[in-house]
Amino acid sequence: TVYPLLAAVAAYLLGSLSFAVIVTRVMGLSDPRTYGSKNPGATNVLRSGSKAAAVLTLLLDAVKGWLPVFAVRVWGAPYGMEEGTMALVGVAAFLGHLWPVFFRFEGGKGVATALGVVVGVSGWLGLAAGATWIIVAFFFRYSSLASLVAAVFAPVYYLIASGVVWYADARITLALGVMAMLLAWRHKDNIRRLLEGKESRLGSKSAGAR
Ligand code: NKO
């Protein structure tokens, strides 16, 4: 049937809503693509000084990853959509965030949206990935490093818990792996700065990266 394809297109369009840009625009703050790391993401919005705008960006960018996965889980069955389509729409929303059709295909790094997708797959998995991010961020004070470590561990947690908490679905596993790899690739400048000791720390008053 054509339903999974329609759902994927809808998820991609939803993912294309770059909330870092939208939230800052609505709140009358400057465009995050013009300062700091230039990344339209919650971390860079935080560099504007507005915690409220950063939290709102994180929340909305996560919701757009979670909603399509959740919707397929709850309403998909009568249309023949299950795990495979959940994986598909999750990746579609993630790709929308990275390459948004509404913003000249210049999007973010996918951390918050991937978190939303992971929460949609399993609240426990989301909790584990989120806790990983928080622990790394707490000890090292680098948002990017925390994101990279959490992204590597998310598929690992999913596989470890399979057979214990659930049976790993190959398509969900693939979706997590693809998202983790694209997320890491989008952090290549961050990785270089981390290695050079030039990455900006969370809460630092410096202008940020670059
Ligand atoms: O501006 O380049 P920057 O320093 O801003 O930003 C680097 C940063 C970009 O990401 C963000 C979003 C911040 C979200 C914080 C809470 C995240 C909890 C993450 C769990 C990640 C799960 C990934 C699963 C992958 C399959 O990195």
Side-chain angles (χ1 to χ4, degrees):
T1 90
V2 75
Y3 291 117
L5 190 66
L6 291 177
V9 171
Y12 169 77
L13 293 175
L14 184 63
S16 285
L17 298 173
S18 192
F19 282 109
V21 178
I22 296 167
V23 165
T24 51
R25 200 175 284 173
V26 168
M27 291 177 73
L29 303 166
S30 43
D31 190 319
R33 295 169 299 182
T34 63
Y35 58 79
S37 66
K38 314 265 163 85
N39 185 57
T43 303
N44 205 34
V45 168
L46 187 63
R47 297 193 181 102
S48 75
S50 173
K51 277 193 185 133
V55 169
L56 213 54
T57 298
L58 169 59
L59 207 71
L60 292 172
D61 275 348
V63 164
K64 75 188 189 187
W66 166 80
L67 188 63
V69 179
F70 178 79
V72 168
R73 178 194 299 289
V74 175
W75 295 295
Y79 304 93
M81 298 191 287
E82 29 66 69
E83 254 81 2
T85 309
M86 285 168 54
L88 181 71
V89 297
V91 170
F94 179 83
L95 294 179
H97 182 82
L98 266 60
W99 292 286
V101 65
F102 306 125
F103 296 90
R104 301 166 54 210
F105 300 101
E106 288 166 16
K109 300 180 183 178
V111 182
T113 305
L115 174 65
V117 172
V118 166
V119 171
V121 167
S122 152
W124 290 112
L125 189 61
L127 205 65
T132 303
W133 190 95
I134 288 171
I135 290 166
V136 176
F138 178 82
F139 284 106
F140 296 94
R141 297 269 151 208
Y142 294 119
S143 175
S144 55
L145 182 66
S147 302
L148 285 162
V149 174
V152 169
F153 274 90
V156 174
Y157 293 146
Y158 182 74
L159 289 175
I160 287 176
S162 76
V164 185
V165 188
W166 51 64
Y167 288 97
D169 181 281
R171 296 154 300 180
I172 299 273
T173 307
L174 181 68
L176 294 174
V178 165
M179 288 194 297
M181 283 195 288
L182 284 172
L183 185 153
W185 170 67
R186 291 291 273 203
H187 281 79
K188 55 190 187 297
D189 290 348
N190 301 86
I191 294 168
R192 185 175 39 73
R193 286 194 296 265
L194 284 164
L195 293 172
E196 291 172 352
K198 289 178 183 164
E199 181 69 316
S200 86
R201 287 187 190 265
L202 279 166
S204 80
K205 295 279 165 243
S206 81
R210 226 177 301 234

